[in-house]
């Protein structure tokens, strides 16, 4: 082969020379999870706690918050109404009095179903106040403390309905609020990247939780399943697994994304 020019040698992939450490390294970090009293928020809170995170479980229902933390010494219940900035700020003061906050997960949400033609301005206010403005109140409350430490993770729970204006279970308005969360996520990522804060959203497909279970009659469930190539509804733990990853240093270069956890729903 003398004299024949050789292509430059490929550098060994970093994984070949140095195995990628997939430990999440979250031990001792501190998280605030809203809507942690039920469903997806509760699963996220428990998944973070299992990684050694100290988790503040915020919910407007004191009973649900208390039930979520029962028996777990690294979880603490916090009564908080995300629609009320004073309540959010008071919760933040409680957390910051004990130390720093590393991770915010906004899972508090409500669902509205049915056609917009049958909805009222009161319905619009209610769903917007929790699903969109509630996320904004929480994000605003953590920006200062996280920026001061040049470090933070904000993970918003959006929905596949953000990509299609509602329609699986939630109505158009629900989808509009989740599209708002997606826009907020992208804009905040741009604004907060220089402060060392990543902002991402997870967009689950229909998940069997207290929010949806009353709507999921067999016919509705069968119609939804026909559109999910993986062939089942989402589990709260599907979303929780991604939340743990996004909270970790392994996701340090991921920001401004809205990641579906949907079994392929958006492809069909
Ligand atoms: N279940 C689904 O199919 C599904 C799919 C995609 C996205 N999501 C989103 O995931 C999030 C969690 O939904 P879920 O299915 O776990 O619902 P869920 O009803 O089981 O839990 C929601 C929790 O939020 C709390 N909450 C409601 N309003 C609040 C407020 N103003 N302040 C504080 N807490 C409040 C409730 O008390 C409840 O504990 C929501 O944002 C929802 O829109 C759900």
């Amino acid at each position: 082969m003398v004299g024949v020019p050789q292509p430059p040698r490929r550098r060994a992939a970093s994984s070949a020379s140095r195995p990628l450490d997939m430990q999440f390294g979250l031990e001792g970090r501190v998280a605030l999870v809203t809507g942690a009293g039920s469903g997806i928020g509760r699963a996220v809170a428990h998944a973070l706690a299992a990684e050694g995170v100290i988790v503040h479980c915020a919910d407007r229902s004191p009973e649900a918050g208390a039930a979520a933390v029962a028996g777990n010494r690294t979880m603490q219940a916090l009564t908080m109404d995300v629609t009320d900035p004073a309540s959010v700020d008071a919760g933040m003061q409680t957390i910051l009095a004990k130390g720093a906050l590393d991770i915010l997960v906004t899972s508090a949400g409500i669902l509205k179903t049915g056609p917009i033609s049958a909805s009222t301005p009161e319905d619009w206010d209610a769903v917007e106040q929790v699903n969109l403005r509630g996320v904004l109140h929480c994000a605003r409350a953590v920006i200062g403390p996280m920026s001061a430490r040049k470090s933070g993770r904000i993970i918003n729970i959006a929905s596949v309905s953000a990509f299609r204006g509602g329609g699986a279970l939630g109505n158009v308005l629900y989808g509009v609020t989740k599209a708002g969360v997606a826009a907020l996520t992208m804009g905040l990522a741009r604004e907060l990247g220089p402060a060392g804060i990543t902002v991402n959203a997870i967009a689950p497909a229909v998940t069997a939780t207290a929010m949806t279970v009353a709507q999921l009659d067999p016919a509705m469930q069968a119609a939804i399943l026909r559109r999910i190539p993986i062939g089942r509804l989402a589990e709260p733990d599907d979303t929780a697994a991604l939340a743990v990853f996004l909270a970790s240093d392994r996701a340090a270069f991921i920001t401004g994304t809205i990641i579906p956890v949907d079994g392929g729903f958006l492809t069909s």
Side-chain angles (χ1 to χ4, degrees), residues 203-215:
V206 174
T207 312
T209 65
M211 175 179 278
T212 55
V213 84
Q215 326 285 334

Side-chain angles (χ1 to χ4, degrees), residues 25-263:
L26 287 166
E27 185 91 30
R29 304 258 169 106
V30 179
L32 165 62
V33 181
T34 72
S38 176
I40 291 171
R42 187 170 177 159
V44 170
H46 280 270
L48 288 170
E51 294 295 324
V53 176
I54 296 156
V55 187
H56 295 270
C57 294
D59 206 285
R60 75 174 161 194
S61 159
E63 297 78 21
V69 307
N72 195 319
R73 282 185 296 125
T74 58
M75 299 171 91
Q76 290 160 35
L78 196 59
T79 302
M80 177 191 287
D81 181 349
V82 298
T83 67
D84 176 5
S87 173
V88 173
D89 287 344
M92 277 301 295
Q93 291 313 317
T94 302
I95 295 169
L96 294 175
K98 297 176 186 164
L101 179 72
D102 302 291
I103 302 156
L104 167 67
V105 182
T106 62
S107 190
I110 60 172
L111 180 74
K112 292 285 175 189
T113 56
I116 283 291
S117 54
S119 68
T120 65
E122 289 74 27
D123 290 334
W124 311 344
D125 284 344
V127 71
E128 187 276 328
Q129 292 278 343
V130 181
N131 290 9
L132 182 53
R133 204 173 296 217
V135 175
L136 186 57
H137 290 321
C138 293
R140 284 195 61 198
V142 304
I143 288 171
M146 286 183 177
S147 298
R149 300 175 67 229
K150 280 270 179 200
S151 166
R153 295 275 186 273
I154 298 175
I155 301 163
N156 298 320
I157 307 302
S159 164
V160 287
S161 62
F163 296 98
R164 56 194 303 275
L169 265 188
N171 67 11
V172 173
L173 179 64
Y174 176 81
V176 167
T177 64
K178 294 300 184 177
V181 170
L184 186 63
T185 298
M186 291 185 277
L188 282 177
R190 194 166 52 242
E191 190 173 317
L192 302 181
I197 302 167
T198 68
V199 189
N200 293 288
I202 302 175
V206 174
T207 312
T209 65
M211 175 179 278
T212 55
V213 84
Q215 326 285 334
L216 280 173
D217 60 62
M220 170 73 84
Q221 184 156 330
I224 293 170
L225 286 176
R226 274 195 293 277
R227 292 202 48 197
I228 300 181
I230 293 292
R232 64 168 173 83
L233 299 181
E235 302 279 352
D237 282 349
D238 294 320
T239 293
L242 179 56
V244 167
F245 172 68
L246 290 173
S248 77
D249 291 345
R250 289 285 155 226
F253 202 56
I254 300 172
T255 196
T257 62
I258 294 87
I259 306 176
V261 173
D262 71 342

Side-chain angles (χ1 to χ4, degrees), residues 10-36:
R10 274 207 179 165
R11 286 186 59 192
S14 61
S15 57
S17 55
R18 180 172 56 82
L20 188 59
D21 175 7
M22 281 307 285
Q23 299 291 313
F24 291 120
L26 287 166
E27 185 91 30
R29 304 258 169 106
V30 179
L32 165 62
V33 181
T34 72

